[in-house]
Amino acid sequence: MTRPVKRHVEMEALFGADFLPISRKGRTPAPAAAAPVAAKAPAPKKSASSTFPYDWEKDWPSDFQTFRTEVLDCRKCGLCSTRTQVVFGTGPLQTPLMFVGEAPGEDEDRKGEPFVGRAGQLLTTTLKKFGIERSRVYIANILKCRPPGNRDPQEDEIETCTPWLIEQISLIQPQVIVTLGNFATKFVLQTQTGITRMRGSVYPWHGRTVIPTFHPAAILRGGGEKGRQFGELQEDFALIKRTLAEPEPPPPPPPVTSLVELEREEQPAIADDQLELF
Ligand code: URA
């Protein structure tokens, strides 16, 4: 699938048919390849035990399945002895939007899914308010196992666990990554600057965009919907939506060396006796 077609299909899945920043009247027909791909999208399937209503797993390519199995068995750090289970992450692989949180809490550890407690409910309702179904985005964490008593992730745990996240990002290839809170923002953007100063802006990141915002748990601690941070969270979600609607950036120009070669090819050969003139 070409990149524009992949993006078209993903955006339609995320926002429905109205995501396009152009009027439907003047719309040119979707590229021919889009139809069969869209038609292949898995049918919604309710699961009694999961908050995640789509059985995306059955459509995962085998390399992703293998990768997931490896992560679920991970024993690379001490958290494996205190966790109930690894919280791998949830969401479709074909999505333009990925959220990265900090680490599973008690509810997530029990259920095996990220953001299913109170902070998760706030994330889900905020997404909904901006017209995005939670089941259409990918959600993961910096750590895949719960730190005991919900303590902060330790540096060695982050170092050991984050290669899994990097692998996940490179398999999913989201257009926009939203980092929730300090731990995710500092790791992804490799910065020491805190979230209060980082939020509200977009950051280019390996051909993609990172948008940092507050962790929903911090919003809850700061007074929930009555707190100042809640308004800023809404601003950041509006920014996420605007960023997703922006047209695909043009491909990068060719490297300078090949431009020089191009010019050489186009120059007519100069006869030896003419060289005297220069
Ligand atoms: N907080 C996080 O950072 N991640 C979760 O999955 C739940 C709470």
Side-chain angles (χ1 to χ4, degrees):
M1 199 183 336
T2 64
R3 220 176 141 186
V5 173
K6 177 177 182 290
R7 181 160 190 264
H8 181 96
V9 171
E10 289 176 355
M11 294 295 283
E12 209 154 68
L14 191 62
F15 293 122
D18 292 331
F19 77 88
L20 284 174
I22 52 173
S23 91
R24 292 180 67 78
K25 259 197 233 150
R27 228 171 118 178
T28 46
V37 176
K40 263 178 64 187
K45 185 183 150 191
K46 289 266 177 218
S47 146
S49 64
S50 170
T51 52
F52 194 64
Y54 296 92
D55 186 10
W56 292 100
E57 295 180 26
K58 75 177 168 52
D59 283 324
W60 281 352
S62 60
D63 53 350
F64 198 80
Q65 285 285 17
T66 312
F67 164 64
R68 183 169 180 263
T69 308
E70 201 185 333
V71 179
L72 294 182
D73 287 342
C74 178
R75 310 199 73 78
K76 288 183 200 253
C77 83
L79 295 181
C80 69
S81 58
T82 51
R83 74 184 180 211
T84 304
Q85 57 192 314
V86 170
V87 179
F88 176 75
T90 49
L93 300 193
Q94 298 235 331
T95 178
L97 184 55
M98 177 167 183
F99 286 80
V100 180
E102 184 178 310
E106 189 178 3
D107 294 314
E108 292 76 20
D109 177 66
R110 196 177 334 110
K111 204 145 192 185
E113 287 181 42
F115 284 98
V116 290
R118 279 185 67 223
Q121 280 161 24
L122 178 59
L123 176 64
T124 307
T125 52
T126 308
L127 280 167
K128 208 172 178 83
K129 205 163 159 182
F130 284 83
I132 304 171
E133 281 299 322
R134 176 195 162 106
S135 57
R136 300 291 184 181
V137 305
Y138 203 92
I139 306 178
N141 282 307
I142 289 290
L143 294 190
K144 306 233 173 282
C145 298
R146 181 191 181 203
N150 296 350
R151 64 157 168 74
D152 283 350
Q154 290 170 353
E155 261 183 39
D156 58 331
E157 292 162 353
I158 295 175
E159 200 179 314
T160 310
C161 198
T162 43
W164 295 135
L165 177 69
I166 297 292
E167 178 77 17
Q168 229 161 355
I169 294 173
S170 51
L171 288 164
I172 294 163
Q173 304 252 349
Q175 180 198 342
V176 172
I177 298 170
V178 179
T179 52
L180 299 168
N182 269 318
F183 281 95
T185 305
K186 287 182 173 178
F187 170 72
V188 173
L189 291 176
Q190 293 291 296
T191 177
Q192 289 308 311
T193 309
I195 188 63
T196 310
R197 286 187 51 206
M198 293 298 285
R199 63 146 295 274
S201 300
V202 299
Y203 300 84
W205 189 84
H206 302 281
R208 287 149 223 292
T209 302
V210 171
I211 304 183
T213 192
F214 292 117
H215 193 290
I219 305 279
L220 293 175
R221 283 196 299 271
E225 297 196 11
K226 292 196 192 89
R228 178 183 52 83
Q229 290 178 338
F230 184 71
E232 293 178 341
L233 180 79
Q234 312 294 304
E235 284 169 21
D236 293 342
F237 269 71
L239 179 62
I240 295 166
K241 207 162 171 180
R242 281 200 305 279
T243 307
L244 284 164
E246 273 168 13
E248 187 97 1
V256 175
T257 48
S258 65
L259 272 181
V260 171
E261 277 157 23
L262 208 71
E263 265 176 19
R264 271 205 203 110
E265 277 167 24
E266 282 170 359
Q267 288 288 325
I270 302 169
D272 281 354
D273 56 350
Q274 297 252 310
L275 282 173
E276 302 295 320
L277 301 172
F278 292 94

